[in-house]
């Protein structure tokens, strides 16, 4: 692994001097508290399953939207939603105990700032994540024991098909999922634009870029830039509309296709945002090989994801749970920096730098194509037919010694 440059601003480095020790101290204090109250803490962990289920049910019924114009009683909400009044009241009362809702002396319920995140039109809405979790993920969680025995994702064992096939078979489920992912990307955009440097790029290709929210924002920020969005054919029309609304349609081409089979040529740099973590090592390698087949030596690849297994920026506990989500629903994983480096090297890239953002699961890995162009896996690629790859290391022991800053 070549020396990895960690691009951190002076402000971020100074902040890390305070936050990293503070997080370490907080963890130690939490462990002490948990030890003394460990029975209650573990009890709560089991009950969190119930809290998540009730939060999903309230979001599914659209109750936060009904409370947007003011407090209402459980009777009023039950009448509007066709729910059993007693059941609904007890769920709302419980959620009020978790600060999702507020209950006044008259028994009326209203939204708290936390509960406002369940509004369908909130700019930071998590309603669509809640719907995806409750409708698609929650039913699969009891199959985790089968996954421990077989290694097959619990989602696939529960629903009888892979996540992407499951979503494609139901237009409404796919709409909810696409909306959820779009809102996440929109939340990430400001943090990415604050640190990303695309000034030297002429044409940027966003591979698997969804409806184009990130690429549209990049084109707006850089008037000299041209864009290419490569996505599934069923997303193409929505992406073109997004670029028209952003006023950048004349500078962006939208192409439908499958990045597991090929990637369009012709761009100066390529971008993969939260794509590789959806795939096992062989699938991620196939995607990277397709990108490598489309570029010349010296061209740049930007990978926007989080990583696990290091302590460069403090506690990565959130990323570890993201890794479990990927494991239960998809064949993917959250990777360490050494695992990224190993995959990139196999595909013909050199990992050069990492630029963190203010969001824990959003960092920009920058890689350069090296050596001779590689042959793409081609349209015959299929995950069931890929050759076995050696297991990548789970830890990143060499990263700390290889880190540089500028």
């Amino acid at each position: 692994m070549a020396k990895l440059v960690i691009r951190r601003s002076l402000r971020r480095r100074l902040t890390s001097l305070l936050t990293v020790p503070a997080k370490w101290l907080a963890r130690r204090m939490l462990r002490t508290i948990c030890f003394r109250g460990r029975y209650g803490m573990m009890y709560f962990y089991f009950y969190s399953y119930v809290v998540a289920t009730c939060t999903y049910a309230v979001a599914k019924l659209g109750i936060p939207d009904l409370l947007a114009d003011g407090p209402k009683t459980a009777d009023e909400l039950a009448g509007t939603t066709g729910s059993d009044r007693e059941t609904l009241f007890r769920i709302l009362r419980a959620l009020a105990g978790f600060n999702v809702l507020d209950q006044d002396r008259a028994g009326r319920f209203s939204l708290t700032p936390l509960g406002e995140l369940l509004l369908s039109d909130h700019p930071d809405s998590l309603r669509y994540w809640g719907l995806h979790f409750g409708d698609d993920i929650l039913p699969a969680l009891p199959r985790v024991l089968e996954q421990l025995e077989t290694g097959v994702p619990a989602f696939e064992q529960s629903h009888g098909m892979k996540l992407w096939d499951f979503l494609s078979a139901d237009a409404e489920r796919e709409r909810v999922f696409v909306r959820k992912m779009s809102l996440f990307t929109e939340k990430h955009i400001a943090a990415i634009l604050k640190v990303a440097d695309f000034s030297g790029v002429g044409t940027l290709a966003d591979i698997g870029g969804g409806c184009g929210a990130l690429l549209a924002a990049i084109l707006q920020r850089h008037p000299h830039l041209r864009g290419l969005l490569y996505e599934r054919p069923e997303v193409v029309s929505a992406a073109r509309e997004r670029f028209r609304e952003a006023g950048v349609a004349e500078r962006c081409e939208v192409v439908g296709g499958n990045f597991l089979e090929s990637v369009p040529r012709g761009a100066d740099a390529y971008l993969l945002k939260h794509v590789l973590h959806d795939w096992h090592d062989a699938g991620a390698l196939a995607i990277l090989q397709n990108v490598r087949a489309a570029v010349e030596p010296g061209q740049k690849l930007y990978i926007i994801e989080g990583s696990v297994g290091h302590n460069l920026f403090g506690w990565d506990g959130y990323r570890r749970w993201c890794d479990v989500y990927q494991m239960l629903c998809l064949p993917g994983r959250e990777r360490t920096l050494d695992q990224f480096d190993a995959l990139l090297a196999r595909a013909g890239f050199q990992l050069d730098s990492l630029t963190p953002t203010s969001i824990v699961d959003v960092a920009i890995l920058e890689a350069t194509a090296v050596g001779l162009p590689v042959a793409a896996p081609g349209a015959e690629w299929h995950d069931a037919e890929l050759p076995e790859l050696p297991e990548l290391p789970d830890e990143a022991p060499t990263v700390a010694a290889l880190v540089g800053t500028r």
Side-chain angles (χ1 to χ4, degrees), residues 5-16:
V5 175
I6 308 295
R7 291 196 174 100
R8 287 181 287 180
S9 65
L10 177 60
R11 177 182 176 183
R12 186 172 184 89
R13 276 181 274 171
L14 291 174
T15 301
S16 295

Side-chain angles (χ1 to χ4, degrees), residues 130-182:
L131 297 182
H132 168 61
F133 173 79
D135 288 337
D136 307 334
I137 308 304
L138 202 58
L141 296 186
R143 305 300 291 269
V144 67
L145 287 177
E146 284 94 327
Q147 181 166 351
L148 284 167
E149 294 175 359
T150 66
V152 178
F155 185 96
E156 188 174 340
Q157 297 197 52
S158 175
H159 295 290
M161 61 182 78
K162 297 177 181 179
L163 176 62
W164 306 125
D165 296 330
F166 179 77
L167 295 173
S168 297
D170 188 312
E172 178 58 21
R173 288 184 190 275
E174 184 163 43
R175 184 193 70 81
V176 169
F177 184 82
V178 169
R179 182 62 175 146
K180 165 215 162 190
M181 296 307 299
S182 295

